[in-house]
Amino acid sequence: MCLTLDSHHTNHPLGQKIDLDQTQQPLAFYTETKAEQELTLCDALFSRPSHAFRRHHMNTTFIANFVGKATPSTIKKLAAVTHENGGKWLISKVNFIEDQVAAVIKVEMPTENVATVQQAFKEQPYLTVEIVESSAHTHNAETIFQIRLDANDRAGIVNEITHLLDDQGIDILDMDCQRVFIAGGGGVSSSLFTSQIALRLPRNVLIADVAKELESLSEDTRVVIQQ
């Protein structure tokens, strides 16, 4: 049912008073005569599309793995192609040794542009590329994760941990570190490092992936996810 409103002043459906005579972009069409200058609530609400009714694209997530010969400009080029087609790199691990690269990149983008971006990866002349389907795992942005990390103590271990987490955009909310010294026959022979860490992750970063990355810091590093 449509409600007829007076043309000079009317109450907006949300309670805001609108002077239609001063509106630069009228909400609806007016008739020719003053007596017939009326508009309907239906016209006011639906005469032009709202942001809420914009088309939402279907997204696809995939993982691109590649190894071979490349330069940093190659990576920048692939990132630019992804961005130009409405995509983004959710997670990227790129390692260079001289002119050789090994990389794993998780990409999310509109489904209609997936073929274009995947072809851009595959067309790189000196790279062997494998692409596999994935899913966009997300979690509540306010979720706080608790982990415990244990490892043999060594110089710079705290810096290694914080640097790895910072590179992935992970917020360290609390970090409690302790060192346990183990005495041998002739005194202290070794020490163990343990840390309780509270983290807030970006929505598309999985805590399981973070744990694996931390464990890759050394063979003796172990991570327990407590929440």
Side-chain angles (χ1 to χ4, degrees), residues 12-24:
H12 188 270
L14 298 180
Q16 180 182 0
K17 198 171 185 181
I18 299 175
D19 189 338
L20 296 178
D21 290 342
Q22 297 179 4
T23 303
Q24 294 181 352

Side-chain angles (χ1 to χ4, degrees), residues 170-219:
I170 297 171
D171 294 329
I172 301 175
L173 305 179
D174 184 64
M175 187 173 184
D176 181 19
C177 303
Q178 296 181 4
R179 288 174 167 84
V180 179
F181 298 96
I182 301 175
V188 175
S189 59
S190 63
S191 62
L192 298 177
F193 174 88
T194 184
S195 179
Q196 295 281 347
I197 311 173
L199 305 171
R200 180 180 289 124
L201 278 58
R203 289 181 58 86
N204 295 296
V205 175
L206 299 181
I207 187 62
D209 291 340
V210 175
K212 291 176 183 176
E213 285 292 312
L214 289 169
E215 289 184 339
S216 71
L217 290 174
S218 66
E219 293 183 357

Side-chain angles (χ1 to χ4, degrees), residues 25-200:
Q25 295 183 345
L27 296 177
F29 293 102
Y30 292 93
T31 54
E32 293 182 357
T33 65
K34 183 70 176 178
E36 296 174 337
Q37 274 192 347
E38 296 179 341
L39 58 86
T40 65
L41 180 59
C42 289
D43 291 332
L45 291 177
F46 302 113
S47 59
R48 54 178 58 87
S50 166
H51 292 290
F53 295 98
R54 286 180 179 173
R55 179 185 175 188
H56 292 279
H57 293 283
M58 291 293 292
N59 282 349
T60 295
T61 306
F62 64 89
I63 296 175
N65 308 275
F66 56 86
V67 295
K69 184 177 181 180
T71 64
S73 63
T74 305
I75 307 303
K76 291 179 181 179
K77 176 182 176 181
L78 293 172
V81 171
T82 304
H83 177 74
E84 289 166 3
N85 284 275
K88 57 184 177 181
W89 291 7
L90 302 178
I91 304 173
S92 60
K93 310 292 182 186
V94 181
N95 294 305
F96 276 95
I97 298 179
E98 296 183 358
D99 62 351
Q100 298 297 307
V101 67
V104 181
I105 300 170
K106 187 173 184 179
V107 182
E108 182 184 54
M109 62 183 309
T111 301
E112 61 265 31
N113 296 336
V114 166
T116 300
V117 173
Q118 290 184 352
Q119 189 62 29
F121 277 89
K122 294 176 180 179
E123 287 178 348
Q124 299 307 307
Y126 303 110
L127 294 179
T128 300
V129 179
E130 180 183 5
I131 293 176
V132 297
E133 294 182 0
S134 181
S135 57
H137 300 283
T138 61
H139 54 80
N140 190 306
E142 297 304 313
T143 301
I144 297 175
F145 295 92
Q146 303 281 347
I147 64 172
R148 190 187 80 242
L149 182 147
D150 300 314
N152 290 332
D153 193 18
R154 61 183 182 276
I157 187 171
V158 174
N159 181 62
E160 292 175 13
I161 295 169
T162 56
H163 183 72
L164 184 150
L165 297 174
D166 184 63
D167 281 350
Q168 298 189 44
I170 297 171
D171 294 329
I172 301 175
L173 305 179
D174 184 64
M175 187 173 184
D176 181 19
C177 303
Q178 296 181 4
R179 288 174 167 84
V180 179
F181 298 96
I182 301 175
V188 175
S189 59
S190 63
S191 62
L192 298 177
F193 174 88
T194 184
S195 179
Q196 295 281 347
I197 311 173
L199 305 171
R200 180 180 289 124

